[in-house]
Amino acid sequence: MLPGPWDAASARALAQAGFEALATPSAGLAAALGYVDGETPADEMFAAVARITRAVDVPVTADIEDGYGIAPGELVERLLEAGAVGCNIEDSARGTLKDPGEHADYLAEFCAAAAGRIFLNARVDVFVHGDGNPERAVERAASYVAAGAECVYPIMAPVAVLPLLRSGVEGPLNALALLTPDGPSPAALGGLGATRITFGPQLQRRATAAAAEAATGLR
């Protein structure tokens, strides 16, 4: 389980709570930096990730959206400079799925440049920007694994299709755990085939809601 810090203070709190690794959420960092998700400049995102990695002793993996149009080799170097040990790279841009073959080629170049120094979690956006077809998600995931991705992340995949994804995908499978009363627990997601659990920007949003509630009380 990798919870999502949005700044140095939250990263320290999560590490002190006993989590052994953290995963920055792009939406959470965007909100903390004053941007809409998907509009954070690359320089600011990498600087924010660097502040988080400097604040903790546990490994940190970074959500770098679709790679910001940066060449694979340079992207690897920027992640290493920021102190990240892994990253998410999504297969959509501005709400549109990328060509899977071209994206797989990009990931292959990234993995070759990383040479084992960066853990690649390849995001599959079929369930958020595509038609939600599980078989199409499996096809994309398989091509990304073949390109060298160590893990695939079919974000927002319905719980009911996790066993199908598990049967069709080699290697680790990332699932998003929803922090809602009726959402499946991380343990339940693991029982359905997930091997890596992340939480996106949910902790940042809860913290912001708590701050708003406290501010209302002060007034």
Side-chain angles (χ1 to χ4, degrees):
M1 293 195 298
L2 296 86
W6 58 94
D7 59 14
S10 60
R12 289 195 186 101
L14 293 170
Q16 289 168 2
F19 287 97
E20 298 178 353
L22 308 176
T24 69
S26 64
L29 267 66
L33 294 169
Y35 293 99
V36 175
D37 186 27
E39 297 185 3
T40 309
D43 289 348
E44 292 199 43
M45 185 64 78
F46 284 112
V49 171
R51 287 191 291 272
I52 288 171
T53 63
R54 287 196 299 266
V56 295
D57 293 327
V58 299
V60 176
T61 182
D63 183 343
I64 53 171
E65 303 180 272
D66 70 341
Y68 307 109
I70 299 172
E74 180 184 350
L75 194 59
V76 168
E77 294 308 315
R78 296 199 68 172
L79 284 162
L80 293 172
E81 289 171 2
V85 301
C87 71
N88 288 4
I89 299 179
E90 57 200 52
D91 65 349
S92 66
R94 301 279 179 189
T96 301
L97 287 174
K98 296 182 177 182
D99 177 88
E102 292 178 0
H103 189 62
D105 289 343
Y106 180 88
L107 297 183
E109 290 184 44
F110 177 91
C111 292
R117 296 174 295 170
I118 296 290
F119 181 94
L120 174 59
N121 187 34
R123 211 176 87 172
V124 180
D125 287 0
V126 167
F127 299 101
V128 289
H129 297 309
D131 60 6
N133 186 328
E135 293 183 359
R136 187 162 290 113
V138 168
E139 290 172 359
R140 283 179 171 260
S143 68
Y144 304 157
V145 170
E150 288 92 348
C151 184
V152 292
Y153 180 16
I155 189 170
M156 298 303 294
V159 172
V161 306
L162 282 179
L164 173 62
L165 295 172
R166 174 68 285 165
S167 66
V169 175
E170 294 184 13
L173 180 67
N174 193 139
L176 176 70
L178 299 178
L179 301 177
T180 59
D182 57 346
S185 68
L189 292 173
L192 293 170
T195 51
R196 187 178 191 264
I197 306 293
T198 52
F199 303 87
Q202 295 175 91
L203 293 176
Q204 181 272 329
R205 290 172 180 170
R206 282 194 172 193
T208 298
E213 182 179 356
T216 300
L218 290 174
R219 293 190 66 187

